[in-house]
Amino acid sequence: MEANLKQKLNDDLKQSMRDKDTVKTSTLRMLLSAIKYAEMKRQETDFDKKGVVGEYQQYALNDTDILGVIAKEIKQREDSIAAYKAGNRQDLVDKESVEMAILKSYMPEQLSRDEIIAEAWKTISEVGARGPADKGKVMGKLVASLKGKADGKTINEVVTEILSSM
């Protein structure tokens, strides 16, 4: 069973090729390649003198996992933009910005900070967290539930603030 988001990406790739939209085509190809790479997991089976001998197995990603791949690609674009700005390369900043806009169009609406705080409080009460020592329990459950809907850095800041004030 193929994920709906992956099918949409493939359909959009075909359409961008028909429209001769080279930037969107290359961005979608890169994204589909990253998704395919994420689906490939190396299964180590044996060792020999030359190193690890193994085979690859393919695992299908669901829409949530694909959103994680898209978020990772967006984060890479943000980092590249910062580096290119420092290097005074406006041409590359523009290219990365366009790619990032295309990638963001596939992400769901991002939660506001207030919505993240509300979700954090709900998760803290579910887990029974009492202070900063319980951050790992809260983060594990909260990041999984908000995957693709909120930035991990923002989630971390909110949880740290809340748990530090307890």
Side-chain angles (χ1 to χ4, degrees), residues 97-150:
S97 297
V98 170
E99 288 180 2
M100 190 167 68
I102 292 168
L103 293 171
K104 282 185 175 182
S105 72
Y106 293 98
M107 294 294 287
E109 186 77 24
Q110 297 293 297
L111 296 177
S112 70
R113 187 171 177 86
D114 293 336
E115 292 169 320
I116 295 171
I117 290 170
E119 288 293 322
W121 276 110
K122 190 167 91 174
T123 304
I124 287 169
S125 65
E126 287 174 10
V127 173
R130 300 188 177 183
D134 297 323
K135 183 177 178 181
K137 291 185 218 172
V138 175
M139 286 297 292
K141 190 166 186 177
L142 188 59
V143 168
S145 69
L146 298 181
K147 190 172 190 175
K149 299 176 189 169

Side-chain angles (χ1 to χ4, degrees), residues 24-157:
K24 188 169 186 175
T25 300
S26 67
T27 302
L28 290 176
R29 281 184 174 155
M30 171 278 313
L31 178 58
L32 287 166
S33 174
I35 291 168
K36 188 143 189 99
Y37 182 77
E39 290 175 337
M40 300 299 289
K41 300 285 185 185
R42 183 174 183 139
Q43 192 70 29
E44 294 178 2
T45 56
D46 199 1
F47 290 92
D48 67 2
K49 293 179 182 177
K50 296 178 185 173
V52 177
V53 175
E55 54 188 58
Y56 290 93
Q57 292 183 346
Q58 189 162 351
Y59 298 94
L61 298 181
N62 60 29
D63 283 350
T64 306
D65 296 331
I66 291 172
L67 288 175
V69 172
I70 296 172
K72 181 180 172 188
E73 293 295 324
I74 290 171
K75 178 73 174 119
Q76 287 178 350
R77 297 300 175 287
E78 290 170 349
D79 294 344
S80 296
I81 288 170
Y84 292 145
K85 281 183 180 176
N88 204 21
R89 291 292 309 267
Q90 190 58 41
D91 56 329
L92 296 175
V93 169
D94 295 341
K95 177 184 177 287
E96 295 288 325
S97 297
V98 170
E99 288 180 2
M100 190 167 68
I102 292 168
L103 293 171
K104 282 185 175 182
S105 72
Y106 293 98
M107 294 294 287
E109 186 77 24
Q110 297 293 297
L111 296 177
S112 70
R113 187 171 177 86
D114 293 336
E115 292 169 320
I116 295 171
I117 290 170
E119 288 293 322
W121 276 110
K122 190 167 91 174
T123 304
I124 287 169
S125 65
E126 287 174 10
V127 173
R130 300 188 177 183
D134 297 323
K135 183 177 178 181
K137 291 185 218 172
V138 175
M139 286 297 292
K141 190 166 186 177
L142 188 59
V143 168
S145 69
L146 298 181
K147 190 172 190 175
K149 299 176 189 169
D151 180 45
K153 185 177 175 185
T154 307
I155 296 170
N156 186 26
E157 290 171 0

